[in-house]
Amino acid sequence: MWKGRFSENTAQAVQKFTQSLDLDWALASYDIDGSIAHARMLGSVGLIPADEARQIEDGLSRIREEIASGALVPAQELEDVHMNIESRLIELLGPTGARLHTGRSRNDQVAVTMRLFLRDRLHRIGSGMDALLAVMLERAARHRDIIVPGFTHLQQAQPISMGHYWMAHFSAFSRDCDRLLFALESLRECPLGAGALAGSTLPLDREMTARELGFARPTRNSLDTVAQRDYMADYHSFAVTFATHCSRLAEDFVIYSSREFGWLLLPDAFCTGSSMMPQKKNPDVLELLRGKTGQILGHFLDLLVTLKGLPMTYDRDLQEDKRGLQASLRTVEDMLAVLVPLLSAVEVDGEKAAEGMNDGFLLATDVAEYLVARGVPFRQAHGMVGGLVKECIARKKGLFDLTRDEWKALLPEAGEDLFPLLSLRSAVERRNTYGGTAFDQVAKQIEEGKTFLESFRESFKR
């Protein structure tokens, strides 16, 4: 395509090194969509005859079918998907096919192809996030009345509703949905017409191509259009945070399903066994969710390192932006595909969870707050209850094991009205501040979650 300037053919080693067909052949259909819109615009503004614009569109449709059937095999010497398609079009239409690239550079051509591709994939991911949020809401409602320990520093802290736990992850994933929508919003501008970097001397109708391809408007600066990869960074930002949230959930489930905890029950279909130890039930899927998170983080870092030192506008380094993007997209889709059915089958053993809290120490804060309600300054109350726990440990007893006389002796400030409060259920029910773990508050969170999910679905329809 540049032989007019050069006196030597491109070396085969260079052809092999610079080709990008392993990355972009999968983008062929999106490239054809962009080319059809461009051809229609060229015909509309009179840069090519209307009948030739129709011939080009028909030829591109035929090429799409040839690619889908495998009849068209890309040639490495043509470097990329864009030149392979154009070359085949010229084979089919002769000089008419050669008119397609009028007013266009591979720079804005690649940019629109990538936006079309990414927009489509983000909608697929959006469907996966929809399913993930839905299963979180279902689990929260199912397990709302089950009490489990809440942790800080992986030490038992206070009793919580398991529904509250599910809604905690729902909240995190809902923020990921907001980030996904932001990434989708960054794809609303159409790059076609920016040219190599400076626009065109030809009377291109950029608004028309934007409309044809479903964009809200053309990009506003041709230099920035060619140079920027913010829309990819926005996707990666979503992906990294989403994967980190998945990894945290997976770590929790690995711990809570272990024999030492044992109150979270993983479905056999999402676990594996041991080649040597017959008794093993390994949470391999959860461990792989953790492991793949590092890959997604690496792809984001790869893009940022590539971008940080590039001058305006296009540099060939940017060819490699697709590699990490495509790998990250595949991984996120795979994670969603396995996470949703896994979570839908997770169960909770409330009795086993209660066994782990039978010393009653999770109620220490409740006792301190009881004293505060009777006028004791909190720091003083904290020290008094801390001393009570210390004495219980020395006596090898839990709070639930103390008799009324022992309570009176160890904590003289305790009145008869304390004892009805000394239950896990009471501790959960009384944490009724907005966003708290009380069963009624969890029910409100679930309703708010349903409203968010409906809003998210509507956003993807627009």
Side-chain angles (χ1 to χ4, degrees):
M1 63 188 127
W2 48 64
K3 60 185 178 181
R5 163 67 175 80
F6 286 72
S7 58
E8 293 182 308
N9 291 328
T10 305
Q12 287 189 351
V14 174
Q15 290 179 6
K16 182 178 179 181
F17 185 69
T18 59
Q19 67 83 28
S20 60
L21 287 166
D22 61 320
L23 297 175
D24 60 28
W25 190 240
L27 308 177
S29 184
Y30 303 98
D31 182 73
I32 289 171
D33 288 339
S35 292
I36 288 174
H38 186 66
R40 289 175 179 173
M41 182 274 295
L42 294 176
S44 175
V45 300
L47 283 170
I48 63 175
D51 64 322
E52 292 194 5
R54 287 191 293 271
Q55 291 176 43
I56 290 172
E57 183 172 348
D58 291 343
L60 289 168
S61 297
R62 175 178 171 179
I63 292 169
R64 192 198 303 272
E65 293 173 359
E66 291 177 348
I67 293 172
S69 68
L72 179 56
V73 178
Q76 187 181 91
E77 61 268 21
L78 293 174
E79 281 199 335
D80 59 26
V81 62
H82 317 289
M83 293 312 301
N84 269 273
I85 289 173
E86 184 176 333
S87 176
R88 176 57 179 154
L89 187 68
I90 293 171
E91 285 181 5
L92 292 174
L93 304 181
T96 296
R99 294 183 184 276
L100 174 61
H101 211 55
T102 302
R104 186 175 72 170
S105 166
R106 273 196 302 178
N107 291 355
D108 59 341
Q109 183 181 0
V110 169
V112 76
T113 299
M114 287 306 300
R115 281 168 169 81
L116 292 171
F117 162 74
L118 185 55
R119 186 175 68 186
D120 186 41
R121 296 295 287 270
L122 292 190
H123 275 92
R124 285 162 55 176
I125 290 173
S127 296
M129 294 299 292
D130 181 324
L132 178 60
L133 293 186
V135 78
M136 287 280 182
L137 290 172
E138 186 277 329
R139 293 286 93 180
R142 182 181 180 89
H143 298 147
R144 187 188 68 160
D145 293 329
I146 297 177
I147 298 173
V148 298
F151 298 87
T152 63
H153 307 279
L154 202 53
Q155 305 294 312
Q156 286 192 4
Q158 293 176 344
I160 61 171
S161 157
M162 185 63 189
H164 193 52
Y165 174 83
W166 282 114
M167 290 308 297
H169 286 293
F170 179 94
S171 295
F173 287 127
S174 67
R175 292 192 299 275
D176 293 330
C177 288
D178 288 336
R179 293 183 187 94
L180 181 62
L181 289 171
F182 183 86
L184 194 60
E185 178 68 21
S186 70
L187 297 170
R188 288 173 59 81
E189 295 184 343
C190 181
L192 274 180
L197 76 162
S200 176
T201 62
L202 300 173
L204 306 180
D205 187 344
R206 297 194 64 204
E207 286 76 13
M208 177 182 174
T209 49
R211 289 193 304 271
E212 287 281 333
L213 294 169
F215 292 101
R217 56 187 172 270
T219 52
R220 288 164 288 188
N221 182 283
S222 60
L223 295 174
D224 178 64
T225 299
V226 171
Q228 67 105 340
R229 292 298 183 269
D230 291 10
Y231 63 96
M232 290 190 185
D234 290 337
Y235 157 74
H236 282 293
S237 178
F238 151 77
V240 165
T241 313
F242 164 73
T244 301
H245 289 152
C246 288
S247 184
R248 179 175 60 179
L249 182 149
E251 174 69 3
D252 276 357
F253 281 17
V254 168
I255 293 169
Y256 300 160
S257 64
S258 67
R259 289 290 297 273
E260 288 73 15
F261 287 70
W263 48 264
L264 190 130
L265 310 177
L266 299 176
D268 285 357
F270 289 85
C271 296
T272 64
S274 165
S275 63
M276 181 179 184
M277 297 167 283
Q279 84 282 7
K280 293 296 294 298
K281 178 179 174 179
N282 297 327
D284 287 37
V285 170
L286 296 168
E287 292 168 348
L288 285 170
L289 285 168
R290 281 189 322 209
K292 290 179 182 295
T293 297
Q295 299 171 26
I296 292 175
L297 174 59
H299 296 317
F300 190 13
L301 184 61
D302 180 20
L303 175 67
L304 295 179
V305 170
T306 297
L307 294 175
K308 78 170 189 64
L310 294 186
M312 282 278 193
T313 55
Y314 182 78
D315 303 276
R316 194 61 179 268
D317 315 50
L318 293 172
Q319 175 176 300
E320 293 299 306
D321 60 11
K322 304 175 190 67
R323 196 175 305 278
L325 177 69
Q326 292 175 346
S328 178
L329 287 164
R330 285 193 301 270
T331 302
V332 167
E333 290 173 0
D334 289 347
M335 292 171 76
L336 281 165
V338 74
L339 184 60
V340 172
L342 186 158
L343 296 183
S344 69
V346 165
E347 291 297 345
V348 180
D349 186 338
E351 292 183 2
K352 180 70 173 178
E355 289 176 8
M357 300 180 281
N358 60 13
D359 57 18
F361 288 150
L362 279 79
L363 303 185
T365 304
D366 294 69
V367 177
E369 290 179 347
Y370 164 82
L371 295 175
V372 168
R374 292 174 66 103
V376 179
F378 176 75
R379 281 299 162 206
Q380 183 179 344
H382 186 286
M384 293 165 66
V385 178
L388 171 67
V389 171
K390 179 180 178 182
E391 184 61 28
C392 284
I393 293 172
R395 299 184 185 190
K396 297 184 179 180
K397 285 189 171 185
L399 293 184
F400 291 151
D401 299 322
L402 296 177
T403 66
R404 271 175 161 73
D405 290 340
E406 286 176 313
W407 271 103
K408 295 291 186 180
L410 294 171
L411 194 67
E413 293 81 1
E416 288 296 320
D417 56 343
L418 170 64
F419 301 112
L421 308 180
L422 296 177
S423 75
L424 298 175
R425 183 158 295 274
S426 173
V428 172
E429 288 175 340
R430 291 170 60 244
R431 284 178 163 77
N432 202 31
T433 47
Y434 178 77
T437 191
F439 304 117
D440 288 345
Q441 289 296 327
V442 174
K444 291 178 183 177
Q445 291 176 47
I446 292 171
E447 290 306 310
E448 290 176 354
K450 291 177 181 177
T451 300
F452 176 88
L453 182 53
E454 286 302 316
S455 173
F456 179 67
R457 288 170 176 166
E458 287 298 318
S459 297
F460 265 88
K461 290 179 183 178
R462 292 195 290 269

